[in-house]
Amino acid sequence: MESRIPSPSLPGTKPAGGGAGFWAFLVTLFLGAFNDNVSKLVIMAYGTSMLEPESPQASLFLSLGGVVFILPYLLFSSVAGLLADRHSKKWVMVWTKAWEVVVMLLGFLTAYLHNAYLMLVVLFGMGAQSAFFSPAKYGFLPETQPPERLPRANGATQMWTFLAIILGGWGGGALSHAVGEENLPMGMLACVGIAILGTITSFAITPSPLGNKGTPLRIPDPITPHLKTLFRDARRDNPVLLASILGNSLFWLLGTMAQLVMLLLAKNTLKVDDQVMGLLQAAMGVGIGAGCFLAGLLIRQERPFRLVPAGGILLGGSLLAMGLLGDRLPWAFCLVVLAGFSSGLYMLPLTTAIQRLSPPAERGRYLAASSASDCVGMIFGSGALGLLGLLKFSPLGVLRSMALLALLPLPWLCRVLFRKGGPGRGEDATGRTPM
């Protein structure tokens, strides 16, 4: 019997559903993801061009860029989860959007120095801003959406996020091509403007509950609490929740590798300019957004995981095909879209399960642990790309390796998600039968 996911509503709250506040949330989310992708792609393309795209140093720079952007999720997600539990998630989002403006201004200033490695500091600041934004973003939906709307709200959230990735990939490539290395500050100035606009729209987001002021605010150990949450609490009380978190982290591991290897595929294998590179990034976002949108329509509470096996198999197959045929531009575009589409089918049910299965009173803690797990996956993805680059793997060889990474864990994941006696009939969010 496939696991059934219970309602996530907090006691004493009335979900607001859609409306102007939800649209403001989507627009704010869109602008943030768009800005992240534009600025990150501009910095990465600039750095690899300075260091010679076919050199091991270029692969190392991309790997370092991925790590320093992701590392703040691991370092700060514990305190970010506490802040999301303690304060209104709307206002956490507002303040982190203001932080984004400061980071982009720093990027504008450091761009004048034309030092690729100094721009890694900006990537770290961008990652830190996203780490504090993430638990509030994901915790906001189950607090403001009724249970029957949550899958579609998640589908809309992921679709808008990946629409931003689509346009951000295209926009970052086009901006990098247009301004060139000598005008990098002008590219970063455009990112400052986008950050200001996103801060303005965040004020119109639907108000969320004030939070639990009794939650102790301290600077916690960034690692141990997440390990306890995942491998003690979730493993003991709800293995389906743990499997959903780990499966979702695999998506982010592969997504990080895919985003970075697309840069090398475009420059080293396909020999195309930054505009086409941006279009490849956008094509991946098109596929992910379409997959998330379809999954949001097809997910049913009584069978929430039915899309995961098909999505995982299709993802592994499309990565393998890309590793064999990706040296031809038409095939590369088609297979990038297919890989993105299948990953959307795979990922959205897991994201919805994480939100619904997390205990309502401790949702921020569980979502922060999930973010930290995703962070570890992304760090491993960045590190794997750097290691394969040092081992002289071509971009096509990296893609074939990614196919194995997608397929090998799938039998275990499906066995847990579809296990008999899971949280289904008559069982609560912990997987135990109420007395």
Side-chain angles (χ1 to χ4, degrees):
M1 179 183 68
E2 184 177 354
S3 303
R4 182 177 299 174
I5 301 176
S7 167
S9 300
L10 282 170
T13 65
K14 182 179 180 180
F22 180 66
W23 280 103
F25 168 75
L26 291 178
V27 171
T28 302
L29 203 65
F30 173 88
L31 291 170
F34 177 81
N35 210 20
D36 272 354
N37 281 274
V38 169
S39 56
K40 186 164 65 172
L41 192 57
V42 167
I43 291 171
M44 295 292 199
Y46 168 72
T48 53
S49 295
M50 285 190 66
L51 298 170
E52 297 298 331
E54 297 186 15
S55 67
Q57 289 80 8
S59 292
L60 181 60
F61 175 79
L62 289 177
S63 180
L64 286 174
V67 169
V68 299
F69 181 77
I70 298 158
L71 187 60
Y73 283 90
L74 188 60
L75 296 177
F76 305 131
S77 58
S78 290
V79 69
L82 293 174
L83 283 172
D85 284 337
R86 183 181 173 88
H87 300 287
S88 162
K89 292 174 178 60
K90 169 188 173 173
W91 287 104
V92 172
M93 288 189 279
V94 170
W95 284 110
T96 51
K97 290 301 293 182
W99 179 352
E100 183 184 340
V101 176
V102 176
V103 173
M104 293 303 159
L105 283 170
L106 178 63
F108 171 68
L109 293 175
T110 56
Y112 276 108
L113 300 177
H114 292 281
N115 185 312
Y117 289 102
L118 190 58
M119 296 301 291
L120 295 177
V121 177
V122 179
L123 288 173
F124 183 87
M126 290 164 56
Q129 185 269 339
S130 297
F132 280 89
F133 187 86
S134 184
K137 172 184 72 175
Y138 285 112
F140 171 82
L141 287 177
E143 289 186 0
T144 58
Q145 299 296 311
E148 65 275 9
R149 279 185 52 89
L150 187 58
R152 291 195 178 189
N154 271 310
T157 298
Q158 298 296 343
M159 185 181 71
W160 277 71
T161 298
F162 289 109
L163 179 63
I165 293 172
I166 295 165
L167 297 178
W170 167 80
L175 186 62
S176 177
H177 179 76
V179 302
E181 293 181 13
E182 63 279 359
N183 290 320
L184 180 64
M186 298 307 298
M188 296 306 299
L189 186 61
C191 296
V192 174
I194 297 168
I196 291 172
L197 183 59
T199 303
I200 293 171
T201 61
S202 68
F203 283 93
I205 292 174
T206 303
S208 58
L210 295 178
N212 180 11
K213 293 292 185 181
T215 301
L217 186 59
R218 60 189 183 278
I219 304 300
D221 175 354
I223 306 295
T224 306
H226 297 318
L227 293 175
K228 290 180 178 178
T229 298
L230 295 175
F231 297 105
R232 185 191 65 186
D233 300 341
R235 183 182 182 187
R236 177 193 62 212
D237 297 333
N238 198 331
V240 175
L241 173 58
L242 176 60
S244 299
I245 291 172
L246 296 179
N248 195 58
S249 298
L250 175 64
F251 163 82
W252 287 108
L253 183 154
L254 294 170
T256 299
M257 292 186 72
Q259 188 177 46
L260 297 176
V261 80
M262 285 300 108
L263 292 166
L264 297 176
L265 183 72
K267 290 180 176 290
N268 298 352
T269 304
L270 297 170
K271 307 293 184 182
V272 294
D273 60 24
D274 287 347
Q275 283 183 305
V276 179
M277 176 193 67
L279 289 174
L280 279 170
Q281 300 276 352
M284 183 164 53
V286 167
I288 296 174
C292 288
F293 179 75
L294 181 61
L297 295 178
L298 295 179
I299 288 176
R300 296 292 181 268
Q301 186 165 336
E302 65 274 10
R303 297 186 64 196
F305 299 117
R306 60 178 179 167
L307 299 176
V308 173
I313 292 170
L314 190 59
L315 174 59
S318 58
L319 288 171
L320 180 60
M322 200 185 314
L324 298 172
L325 303 171
D327 56 347
R328 284 159 274 186
L329 190 59
W331 277 108
F333 270 109
C334 292
L335 291 170
V336 163
V337 173
L338 181 60
F341 177 79
S342 56
S343 65
L345 294 179
Y346 166 87
M347 175 266 294
L348 189 75
L350 300 176
T351 300
T352 302
I354 293 166
Q355 293 169 332
R356 283 184 165 179
L357 291 174
S358 298
E362 299 179 293
R363 185 169 288 122
R365 178 168 72 94
Y366 276 83
L367 293 178
S370 177
S371 294
S373 179
D374 294 344
C375 162
V376 172
M378 290 185 279
I379 289 175
F380 273 106
S382 297
L385 179 68
L387 177 62
L388 293 174
L390 292 175
L391 295 174
K392 307 296 185 181
F393 272 61
S394 69
L396 296 178
V398 172
L399 288 164
R400 292 192 290 268
S401 301
M402 290 169 60
L404 289 177
L405 286 174
L407 293 171
L408 288 178
L410 198 57
W412 169 83
L413 178 64
C414 292
R415 186 171 68 249
V416 177
L417 296 181
F418 290 86
R419 69 188 179 93
K420 294 183 179 181
R425 297 175 184 175
E427 297 183 356
D428 64 11
T430 68
R432 296 185 293 249
T433 304
M435 299 298 292

